Amino acid sequence: MDIESRIFECGKDLFSAKGFKKTNIKEIAEHAGIGVGTFYNYYASKEQLFIEIYKQENKKLKNRLTESLDLTQEPVHIISQLLKENQEAIHANPILKEWYNQDFYKELERHYRDEDSQSMDSVRDFYLSLLRKWKQQGMIREDVDEELLPVFFDSLVCIDMHKDEIGIEHFPKAMQYLIEFIITGLTKQQQN
């Protein structure tokens, strides 16, 4: 295994075990059997390494989700299943779960919105491609600006981040209704 791959795998192991915040570059370098200076030959920061690991995990999740979905079903069912399985997978994967870490969320969010991330292979991109496809097919209301489409997905993620405050006992049903309301509202004909 080359040095970059060792750093990547050791970083992944440590981030999975300790989380992003509690892992430092010195530990990653020691675990990989290299010096801290060598780490910087491959990654500019701990954040850059983590984002690379996160992107790989997100791509694996997206591939699993797209293989499990039946795209011939109604949009409400497809989006509900996509978001439910996405949430379950995130909560089961310590790397993906960092999306809910308030300290790191803004860094990930900024990265996902950077121009350099336009071709990122993520669950979010898959969700947006479905909505755009449905809009082209006339299934999404014409009066909804395409730039708003990602906002609906992002708002559901934000709500998921606050499920304890909402009330964990009501959260699953409330989330299901919100997904249904959003998708039904997007796909309904505009009423005058």
Side-chain angles (χ1 to χ4, degrees), residues 124-135:
R124 184 178 190 268
D125 287 341
F126 177 65
Y127 166 86
L128 294 177
S129 71
L130 279 176
L131 290 179
R132 286 183 181 122
K133 177 181 157 195
W134 291 336
K135 187 163 185 173

Side-chain angles (χ1 to χ4, degrees), residues 24 38 47 50 53 103 106 129 142 158 164:
N24 64 52
T38 304
E47 289 80 6
F50 183 82
I53 294 167
D103 296 326
K106 289 194 186 312
S129 71
E142 288 297 318
C158 289
D164 291 334

Side-chain angles (χ1 to χ4, degrees), residues 153-189:
F153 180 82
D154 295 342
S155 65
L156 291 170
V157 170
C158 289
I159 290 167
D160 189 42
M161 294 172 88
H162 295 279
K163 69 175 145 258
D164 291 334
E165 297 159 35
I166 292 169
I168 199 73
E169 69 279 4
H170 301 295
F171 182 77
K173 198 63 173 171
M175 185 62 111
Q176 180 60 39
Y177 280 126
L178 287 170
I179 292 166
E180 183 180 321
F181 296 158
I182 289 170
I183 299 304
T184 301
L186 285 173
T187 56
K188 261 183 151 177
Q189 291 298 323

Side-chain angles (χ1 to χ4, degrees), residues 11 30 32 34 43-44 47 57 75 84-85 87 91 99 112 120 140 144-145 163 192:
E30 286 174 359
I34 61 168
Y43 296 97
E47 289 80 6
E57 292 299 301
K84 180 180 180 233
E85 290 182 25
Q87 289 169 339
H91 290 289
W99 181 264
Y112 270 85
M120 191 174 288
I140 300 288
V144 176
D145 187 338
K163 69 175 145 258
N192 293 331

Side-chain angles (χ1 to χ4, degrees), residues 21-190:
K21 192 173 183 177
K22 293 182 180 177
T23 301
N24 64 52
I25 291 173
K26 184 178 180 210
E27 290 173 306
I28 296 168
E30 286 174 359
H31 198 63
I34 61 168
V36 171
T38 304
F39 174 93
Y40 287 110
N41 290 334
Y42 296 93
Y43 296 97
S45 65
K46 175 177 88 165
E47 289 80 6
Q48 182 192 17
L49 171 62
F50 183 82
I51 286 172
E52 291 303 314
I53 294 167
Y54 185 90
K55 285 174 16 183
Q56 181 191 67
E57 292 299 301
N58 198 290
K59 182 178 179 179
K60 286 184 204 173
L61 171 59
K62 181 213 148 212
N63 291 340
R64 277 197 322 267
L65 291 175
T66 56
E67 289 171 8
S68 72
L69 291 175
D70 177 1
L71 297 178
T72 63
Q73 295 188 356
E74 290 296 313
V76 171
H77 181 78
I78 293 169
I79 297 299
S80 296
Q81 183 183 350
L82 173 66
L83 291 173
K84 180 180 180 233
E85 290 182 25
N86 182 55
Q87 289 169 339
E88 290 170 358
I90 285 173
H91 290 289
N93 182 316
I95 300 293
L96 295 176
K97 198 172 185 177
E98 288 291 337
W99 181 264
Y100 294 97
N101 177 339
Q102 293 294 330
D103 296 326
F104 197 64
Y105 174 77
K106 289 194 186 312
E107 181 76 23
L108 281 171
E109 185 182 40
R110 184 175 51 76
H111 183 78
Y112 270 85
R113 284 164 180 45
D114 280 351
E115 288 180 37
D116 297 333
S117 299
Q118 293 295 324
S119 62
M120 191 174 288
D121 197 8
S122 70
V123 173
R124 184 178 190 268
D125 287 341
F126 177 65
Y127 166 86
L128 294 177
S129 71
L130 279 176
L131 290 179
R132 286 183 181 122
K133 177 181 157 195
W134 291 336
K135 187 163 185 173
Q136 289 172 350
Q137 294 172 345
M139 297 170 68
I140 300 288
R141 290 171 33 177
E142 288 297 318
D143 63 316
V144 176
D145 187 338
E146 192 165 308
E147 290 182 21
L148 277 177
L149 295 177
V151 173
F152 298 113
F153 180 82
D154 295 342
S155 65
L156 291 170
V157 170
C158 289
I159 290 167
D160 189 42
M161 294 172 88
H162 295 279
K163 69 175 145 258
D164 291 334
E165 297 159 35
I166 292 169
I168 199 73
E169 69 279 4
H170 301 295
F171 182 77
K173 198 63 173 171
M175 185 62 111
Q176 180 60 39
Y177 280 126
L178 287 170
I179 292 166
E180 183 180 321
F181 296 158
I182 289 170
I183 299 304
T184 301
L186 285 173
T187 56
K188 261 183 151 177
Q189 291 298 323
Q190 183 180 8

